[in-house]
Amino acid sequence: MKNLLRSLRDLFLKPSVRIGLGVLVTGGFIAGVLAWQGFNTAMEATNKEEFCLSCHTMHDNLLPELQKTVHWNNRTGVRARCPDCHVPHDFTDKVARKMQASREVLGQLLGTIDTREKFKEHRIVLAQREWKRFSANGSKECRACHDYKDMDFDKMRPASQVAMRKAAERNQSCVDCHKGVAHQLPEMKGARNPAFDTLVSSAAGQSVDAGKDYFLVVPQELYADEGMTKRIGAIEVATQVKVLETKGDAQRVELALWRKNKGYGRVWYSHFGLNITSAVLDKEVALDASFVKVLDTKEDPMTGLEWQQVTATAWMRKGSVLDSVEPVWSIARASYSSSCSVCHRQPEEAHFDANTWPGLFGGMVSFTSMDDDTARVVLKYLQTHSSDFSTSHGAGSPDSALQTARP
Amino acid sequence: MNNQASGRTAPSGAEPSGRKNEWPRFLLLAFVGLPITMTLAIAAYGFVVWFLQILFFGPPS
């Protein structure tokens, strides 16, 4: 060690004996130029699309998807290559990103995502990392090719103009709205909204008294028997049920809902005249008069359809109800205001009625990254806070409307 | 200092390594040693920035 240090010191501090200063400097200069050139060439080589695609995971999964998009093949012949979007363009961030790739090399060696199935499963994690990166840098990489200041909004398709003008005003990150421009979006179905986990754990701690009303915090299967072997349908989140008894892992609940007297009457709604889905039963069960009791029949003046007030009892897994529906709505509210305010201000819940929301929501939800469960809760939240329920809009809740309508 | 000064005034002097190995050592240093050091330093810089991003800054803005 000491020897090494000494020879190093000698190397740097002892003047040379036989080589002239000019030769030394020139030699050093040439070496420097070559080294820097070599370094840049190496950097560039790892920034080529061929390099990205030399890992078969990338080649098999991402390339065919990119090839279907406008970034691969278009009218103007400008191609976006993998690194154009995925590697930062300035030196420090680029070097940091290259070093970060050591994790990817490790993943390659361990085969973390070496099959299509494994890749699809892990994809959401990878995509979320990229989304976070793009949102932190304002989609800098996209804007190296197309930026707001160079856009002629009048030439855009009418569908794009409003949203894009607003985006430019706010200087918003492209990937906030343009997710999945280059690849298939990850499957959101497997993704779970972590907010629900806290709900489920508080539901596990909820003490339940027979004869009282509770609200579901997660969708549940319904069974005909307490052993929970014969499935007869499913019940939606936020549906109100009356708990009758608890036996082992099972709970017998009473549903008091509405359905349309049309077809099999499989879909049950929470309110008369409103398409707020609360439970979906199997066909045979829905037709079974010994299971379903019809309490009342009314005609909806809007559609001329006859609605039945129905009740039934069924078994479901215990530990999934709360005595208040508010915690469910607060998750829905948070998700609604974060996901639906990206392109426009989120509409007032009470701006539309309960039967209009599903159509509007269905057209919009694909723009967001909501998973299926969350989307269902948010839709239900919007419906139950729509103009049909809002007192400030003067419509009055349908319950009170019912009350007055009853003889 | 003294040693070096005397080395210059007496080029034929008594430093064994100086005379014989100077050229190979120069070439090795300029074309192998320092480029490798540079690459390592840049890599280390990259790692440091990455770790700082993980720990403090978050992704680059």
Side-chain angles (χ1 to χ4, degrees):
Chain A
M1 195 65 205
K2 223 171 172 184
N3 264 346
L4 185 75
L5 276 181
R6 221 177 85 184
S7 57
L8 261 183
R9 200 195 60 199
D10 281 357
L11 190 63
F12 279 94
L13 296 183
K14 239 185 227 167
S16 63
V17 187
R18 308 195 48 197
I19 313 177
L21 190 58
V23 174
L24 276 184
V25 170
T26 314
F29 186 79
I30 292 170
V33 168
L34 290 180
W36 188 245
Q37 184 56 38
F39 176 76
N40 273 341
T41 310
M43 238 356 205
E44 219 144 84
T46 63
N47 230 15
K48 280 223 166 77
E49 196 162 54
E50 292 76 37
F51 179 78
C52 307
L53 296 177
S54 62
C55 287
H56 69 94
T57 321
M58 297 296 127
H59 184 271
D60 298 351
N61 293 306
L62 282 315
L63 182 63
E65 295 178 1
L66 181 64
Q67 279 167 336
K68 289 190 204 116
T69 74
V70 69
H71 283 112
W72 180 265
N73 195 312
N74 58 53
R75 188 171 57 87
T76 39
V78 182
R79 271 262 278 110
R81 285 155 228 277
C82 321
D84 292 335
C85 290
H86 287 297
V87 183
H89 299 229
D90 52 336
F91 184 78
T92 295
D93 295 336
K94 188 164 164 176
V95 174
R97 184 62 188 83
K98 296 277 175 202
M99 292 306 115
Q100 212 173 320
S102 53
R103 180 163 65 182
E104 281 136 53
V105 173
L106 191 69
Q108 171 76 15
L109 294 179
L110 297 177
T112 317
I113 48 171
D114 57 0
T115 65
R116 178 81 183 157
E117 283 64 45
K118 281 198 211 163
F119 173 73
K120 274 169 111 172
E121 210 165 274
H122 198 58
R123 175 162 219 173
I124 179 75
V125 179
L126 304 176
Q128 268 162 351
R129 272 189 212 133
E130 277 305 278
W131 288 332
K132 218 157 119 200
R133 192 177 67 78
F134 279 122
S135 100
N137 73 4
S139 300
K140 209 169 175 184
E141 286 77 35
C142 315
R143 292 161 78 163
C145 288
H146 24 167
D147 200 4
Y148 294 127
K149 66 180 188 326
D150 306 320
M151 285 179 183
D152 183 348
F153 298 103
D154 292 330
K155 289 207 179 119
M156 289 187 176
R157 282 173 290 138
S160 316
Q161 290 185 9
V162 179
M164 288 298 297
R165 276 211 171 87
K166 281 223 188 95
E169 235 166 66
R170 286 187 280 181
N171 202 21
Q172 203 175 345
S173 165
C174 316
V175 177
D176 279 359
C177 303
H178 293 286
K179 293 190 171 70
V181 276
H183 319 287
Q184 270 166 30
L185 280 172
E187 293 228 11
M188 298 291 176
K189 291 188 184 65
R192 286 201 23 95
N193 184 340
F196 285 121
D197 296 341
T198 51
L199 266 191
V200 170
S201 63
S202 54
Q206 171 77 44
S207 69
V208 174
D209 299 325
K212 283 217 190 127
D213 283 349
Y214 296 90
F215 299 88
L216 267 85
V217 296
V218 283
Q220 281 290 337
E221 312 265 277
L222 290 172
Y223 301 94
D225 56 331
E226 62 178 274
M228 298 190 290
T229 50
K230 189 169 174 291
R231 185 187 178 282
I232 56 174
I235 181 167
E236 286 281 323
V237 61
T239 300
Q240 188 171 358
V241 296
K242 182 190 273 178
V243 173
L244 299 176
E245 60 180 318
T246 304
K247 268 194 189 164
D249 270 348
Q251 220 155 36
R252 193 154 70 94
V253 296
E254 182 186 275
L255 314 174
L257 299 165
W258 288 85
R259 71 175 183 187
K260 295 171 188 166
N261 191 9
K262 186 184 102 182
Y264 301 121
R266 293 179 55 208
V267 182
W268 290 20
Y269 305 95
S270 59
H271 294 85
F272 166 72
L274 304 181
N275 295 320
I276 307 175
T277 308
S278 291
V280 180
L281 300 177
D282 290 349
K283 192 169 76 187
E284 309 82 61
V285 183
L287 291 171
D288 183 353
S290 67
F291 176 75
V292 180
K293 280 195 205 60
V294 178
L295 303 178
D296 194 6
T297 311
K298 266 158 62 92
E299 192 186 286
D300 181 6
M302 297 288 280
T303 56
L305 271 181
E306 192 178 85
W307 284 64
Q308 295 178 323
Q309 189 176 24
V310 285
T311 168
T313 67
W315 291 90
M316 64 173 205
R317 196 166 295 283
K318 77 164 190 192
S320 48
V321 294
L322 275 184
D323 56 4
S324 158
V325 74
E326 245 341 280
V328 180
W329 293 156
S330 67
I331 289 176
R333 202 176 291 123
S335 185
Y336 175 56
S337 48
S338 64
S339 302
C340 300
S341 59
V342 173
C343 304
H344 45 69
R345 230 162 19 118
Q346 82 258 30
E348 276 295 324
E349 292 90 339
H351 201 270
F352 302 98
D353 63 30
N355 289 349
T356 310
W357 264 123
L360 291 174
F361 186 80
M364 288 287 145
V365 70
S366 56
F367 285 144
T368 69
S369 55
M370 276 188 210
D371 59 273
D372 273 4
D373 281 351
T374 312
R376 264 152 61 192
V377 178
V378 172
L379 175 58
K380 203 157 185 193
Y381 162 79
L382 291 171
Q383 289 187 295
T384 50
H385 294 75
S386 63
S387 58
D388 291 309
F389 294 83
S390 157
T391 44
S392 62
H393 276 241
S397 95
D399 281 339
S400 61
L402 275 182
Q403 227 75 67
T404 53
R406 270 198 188 120
Chain B
M1 257 345 221
N2 223 355
N3 191 12
Q4 279 169 20
S6 72
R8 189 164 293 171
T9 47
S12 57
E15 280 151 67
S17 65
R19 289 204 82 134
K20 269 222 212 117
N21 300 337
E22 212 154 51
W23 269 105
R25 287 209 305 164
F26 166 59
L27 294 176
L28 199 71
L29 189 65
F31 290 91
V32 181
L34 290 182
I36 290 176
T37 317
M38 176 186 78
T39 311
L40 290 181
I42 293 176
Y45 173 64
F47 270 112
V48 167
V49 173
W50 176 28
F51 290 141
L52 288 178
Q53 281 172 0
I54 293 178
L55 296 175
F56 306 112
F57 312 149
S61 62

